[in-house]
């Protein structure tokens, strides 16, 4: 479905209303032939138009999640939540929609832009497809947008750049393609989930501008290197950068992330040694660097971290590990080149690896291939 470029559907509002009233079931609470006339609150009237247009776009609702989406009392619709309007507490308005795990198939019509007071929009685990309507630019109060685990496609939904209240963006497990615009890292977000799509860009230098506490980009094709600017992400507590095709070194600036609790860069092409600066991350609980090309000695300061519970460094080429690492509650050192440890790589495999030129991480360069 092509995304409309304007709010043309609103010019057909009287016709749309007539169609909706004809196709929807009559409410047992309403005796009027035209229930819209009994909605004195214009905000709820527009919500009625938007939700009925949306229901008409559904192609499947096997669990009958929206079976009660008829009649003018939209505040009684399953998954629809009303609250006093922020600018007029005497007026009730639709403030939240939560259709998580409803298994509904359909698309998002332009009429959803009528829900101007919407703060929460959660569609996790459904079968919605198509693109995000341009009319979402009207949702100036939208705080949480969760479209995860659906079938949305097309390029990154740039409409989010025009949502000044947005703090939580989750579009993981969809079919979005193309570049991740670098502007996304300038948004004033607290959490950003872009994982498990088909994005193909590199991490931009302005990555460090993002104020997020959670950043998950895993399972895309975001090649290139980790930019040193990551060290400016002072609020970052959790980042999952696994299975992206990242190369080069794990930058020393990672040690500036004092709030970091979870760091996962597994299943990439990262090389060189682990930076000593990781030993400064005193809040770190989970560290996963498995399935890369790291080598050399593991810094003892890492295994001395007071809160580290799980350190996974299997399937690399480390040549030694401090005894402290063996005392961690959970660790995995398989398939390395560590003498006298079980389940390591063969001597021939280790010899061939170490016969190649050593990566100089201090140079701060990002290899071309």
């Amino acid at each position: 479905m092509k995304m409309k470029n304007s709010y043309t559907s609103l010019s057909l509002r009287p016709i749309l209303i007539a169609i909706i009233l004809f196709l929807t079931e009559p409410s047992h609470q309403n005796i009027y032939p035209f229930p819209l006339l009994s909605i004195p609150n214009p905000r709820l009237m527009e919500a009625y138009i938007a939700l009925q247009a949306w229901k008409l776009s559904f192609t499947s609702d096997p669990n009958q999640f929206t079976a009660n989406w008829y009649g003018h009392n939209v505040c009684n619709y399953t998954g629809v939540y009303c609250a006093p309007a922020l600018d007029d507490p005497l007026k009730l308005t639709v403030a939240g929609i939560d259709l998580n795990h409803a298994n509904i198939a359909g698309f998002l019509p332009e009429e959803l832009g009528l829900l101007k007071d919407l703060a929460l929009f959660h569609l996790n685990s459904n079968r919605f497809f198509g693109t995000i309507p341009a009319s979402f630019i009207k949702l100036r109060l939208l705080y949480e947008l969760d479209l995860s685990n659906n079938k949305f496609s097309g390029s990154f939904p740039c409409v989010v750049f025009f949502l000044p209240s947005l703090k939580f963006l989750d579009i993981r497990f969809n079919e979005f393609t193309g570049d991740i615009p670098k502007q996304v890292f300038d948004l004033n977000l607290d959490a950003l989930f872009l994982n498990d799509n088909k994005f193909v860009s590199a991490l931009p230098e302005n990555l460090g501008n993002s104020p997020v506490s959670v950043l998950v980009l895993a399972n895309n094709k975001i090649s290139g290197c980790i930019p040193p600017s990551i060290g400016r992400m002072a609020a970052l507590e959790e980042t999952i950068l696994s299975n992206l095709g990242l190369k080069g070194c794990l930058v020393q600036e990672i040690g500036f992330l004092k709030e970091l609790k979870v760091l996962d860069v597994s299943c990439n092409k990262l090389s060189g040694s682990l930076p000593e600066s990781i030993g400064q991350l005193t809040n770190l609980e989970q560290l996963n660097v498995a399935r890369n090309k790291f080598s050399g000695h593991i810094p003892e300061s890492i295994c001395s971290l007071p809160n580290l519970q799980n350190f996974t460094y299997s399937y690399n080429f480390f040549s030694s590990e401090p005894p402290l690492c063996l005392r961690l509650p959970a660790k995995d050192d398989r398939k390395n080149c560590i003498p006298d440890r079980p389940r390591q790589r063969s001597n021939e495999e280790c010899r061939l690896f170490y016969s190649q030129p050593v990566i100089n991480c201090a140079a701060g360069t990002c290899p071309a291939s």
Side-chain angles (χ1 to χ4, degrees):
M1 176 184 177
K2 294 183 179 179
M3 184 171 63
K4 299 178 182 177
N5 294 322
S6 64
Y7 234 154
T8 53
S9 57
L10 294 188
S11 63
L12 301 175
R13 186 182 299 176
I15 299 175
L16 175 63
I17 293 171
I19 294 174
I20 290 172
L21 296 176
F22 179 76
L23 295 178
T24 54
E25 298 178 41
S27 170
H28 68 278
Q29 299 174 339
N30 179 41
I31 62 174
Y32 299 100
F34 297 99
L36 201 62
L37 300 179
S38 65
I39 308 179
N41 183 338
R43 301 182 194 229
L44 295 183
M45 180 183 72
E46 291 195 326
Y48 176 80
I49 295 170
L51 295 173
Q52 291 301 324
W54 194 13
K55 185 175 181 180
L56 287 175
S57 77
F58 293 167
T59 59
S60 174
D61 183 6
N63 299 325
Q64 294 295 298
F65 194 90
T66 60
N68 69 344
W69 280 31
Y70 59 84
H72 66 272
N73 195 351
V74 297
C75 296
N76 281 349
Y77 289 7
T78 300
V80 177
Y81 299 91
C82 294
L86 292 181
D87 61 339
D88 188 352
L90 298 179
K91 291 284 180 66
L92 205 60
T93 190
V94 173
I97 292 178
D98 187 347
L99 301 187
N100 284 352
H101 304 283
N103 196 27
I104 296 172
F107 61 90
L108 306 184
E110 292 283 340
E111 285 79 9
L112 289 176
L114 290 168
L115 301 172
K116 298 183 183 69
D117 296 310
L118 203 62
L120 307 177
F121 191 63
H122 292 175
L123 298 185
N124 176 281
S125 300
N126 285 280
R127 291 174 289 135
F128 287 106
F129 53 85
T131 57
I132 312 307
S135 62
F136 269 43
I137 196 173
K138 303 290 185 180
L139 309 183
R140 310 290 289 177
L141 299 180
L142 194 61
Y143 188 86
E144 293 187 5
L145 178 59
D146 184 354
L147 306 176
S148 60
N149 199 19
N150 281 280
K151 298 181 179 181
F152 291 112
S153 59
S155 58
F156 183 90
C158 291
V159 68
V160 302
F161 298 138
F162 303 94
L163 304 179
S165 301
L166 193 65
K167 290 290 186 182
F168 180 96
L169 177 60
D170 189 349
I171 61 172
R172 57 186 157 172
F173 291 101
N174 278 289
E175 299 175 12
F176 291 110
T177 59
D179 290 347
I180 298 174
K182 65 179 183 179
Q183 296 95 320
V184 73
F185 300 108
D186 292 322
L187 294 176
N188 189 25
L189 299 175
D190 180 61
L192 178 60
F193 298 88
L194 305 182
N195 54 291
D196 294 271
N197 279 284
K198 299 178 180 179
F199 292 122
V200 295
S201 57
L203 293 177
E205 182 52 42
N206 72 324
L207 174 69
N209 293 351
S210 180
V212 295
S213 62
V214 179
L215 174 65
V216 184
L217 303 178
N219 303 318
N220 283 289
K221 295 182 180 179
I222 306 176
S223 56
C225 298
I226 300 174
S229 68
I230 193 173
R232 299 202 307 267
M233 301 178 73
L236 194 61
E237 296 183 8
E238 178 177 340
T239 185
I240 312 294
L241 305 177
S242 58
N243 194 29
L244 296 177
L246 295 172
K247 58 190 176 183
C249 299
L250 190 55
V251 293
Q252 287 283 346
E253 287 82 358
I254 207 83
F256 296 149
L257 305 177
K258 302 302 183 184
E259 302 301 319
L260 200 60
K261 296 179 181 178
V262 177
L263 174 61
D264 187 344
V265 293
S266 62
C267 302
N268 283 292
K269 302 174 183 178
L270 296 169
S271 54
S273 57
L274 289 184
E276 288 273 359
S277 61
I278 294 179
Q280 302 170 18
L281 304 179
T282 55
N283 288 310
L284 196 63
E285 299 172 1
Q286 309 285 330
L287 176 60
N288 190 346
V289 299
R291 296 185 183 274
N292 280 283
K293 296 181 180 180
F294 290 118
S295 59
H297 180 71
I298 296 174
E300 184 172 346
S301 59
I302 294 178
C303 297
S304 300
L305 289 169
N307 293 299
L308 189 63
Q309 297 295 312
N310 190 318
F311 184 17
T312 302
Y313 47 102
S314 55
Y315 290 88
N316 281 286
F317 293 88
F318 291 113
S319 58
S320 63
E321 62 188 342
L324 277 175
C325 294
L326 303 180
R327 303 174 192 170
L328 290 172
K331 62 97 181 62
D332 187 352
D333 65 357
R334 293 172 297 155
K335 293 297 180 180
N336 281 286
C337 299
I338 305 172
D340 303 321
R341 289 294 298 161
R343 296 178 294 174
Q344 299 295 297
R345 296 182 185 273
S346 68
N347 290 335
E348 179 64 14
E349 193 174 3
C350 293
R351 185 189 66 78
L352 287 174
F353 176 84
Y354 277 97
S355 67
Q356 303 298 316
V358 177
I359 300 294
N360 181 12
C361 289
T365 58
C366 186
S369 62

